[in-house]
Amino acid sequence: MGRPLLIVGLVGLLMASGVAKAAPAGEVKLPVTMGSTEAAPEAVDEVVVERGDHLWKISERHVEHRSPGLRVAPYWSKVIEVNTPSLRSGDPDLIYPGEVIRLPEINERP
């Protein structure tokens, strides 16, 4: 008898949280999530620019932290490519404190 109460309690909790919805016949329908066929978006880290930062320094710190031994220059080029359109100045040599820099996934290995 303990199991039906547990299920009823769980269903009530799911309905109260908005996860489950009651159908007109009094049934409870739970959402079912199946594997998606869409590709997952590329993992991206972000960093907020601090006074004295520049894209090379930011790229270098990220590479050293994530993939020591990897050359910085190719990754730095990718950081410039990803961020130039969203920079306030539009110039990758001129970034401002408080701007958010997106750091793309590092795909290469040393």
Side-chain angles (χ1 to χ4, degrees):
M1 220 45 191
R3 288 226 185 265
L5 283 176
L6 176 62
I7 292 171
V8 169
L10 178 59
V11 169
L13 178 64
L14 291 172
M15 288 179 65
S17 68
V19 173
K21 303 209 182 320
E27 299 173 352
V28 174
K29 298 192 179 221
L30 299 174
V32 177
T33 305
M34 303 300 280
S36 174
T37 58
E38 294 179 22
E42 184 175 318
V44 176
D45 288 326
E46 294 180 336
V47 65
V48 177
V49 175
E50 295 180 11
R51 186 181 175 115
D53 274 346
H54 47 82
L55 293 182
W56 180 273
K57 184 191 294 186
I58 292 169
S59 300
E60 185 176 46
R61 277 193 311 245
H62 189 67
V63 166
E64 287 176 358
H65 176 71
R66 298 281 184 179
S67 190
L70 183 69
R71 291 181 40 229
V72 176
Y75 184 72
W76 170 70
S77 295
K78 192 173 180 181
V79 170
I80 289 173
E81 180 183 324
V82 166
N83 288 284
T84 298
S86 62
L87 293 175
R88 181 168 45 160
S89 69
D91 180 355
D93 292 327
L94 180 60
I95 60 176
Y96 295 96
E99 281 189 287
V100 176
I101 301 299
R102 294 177 28 224
L103 299 170
E105 183 177 351
I106 299 174
N107 296 323
E108 301 173 26
R109 294 287 169 230

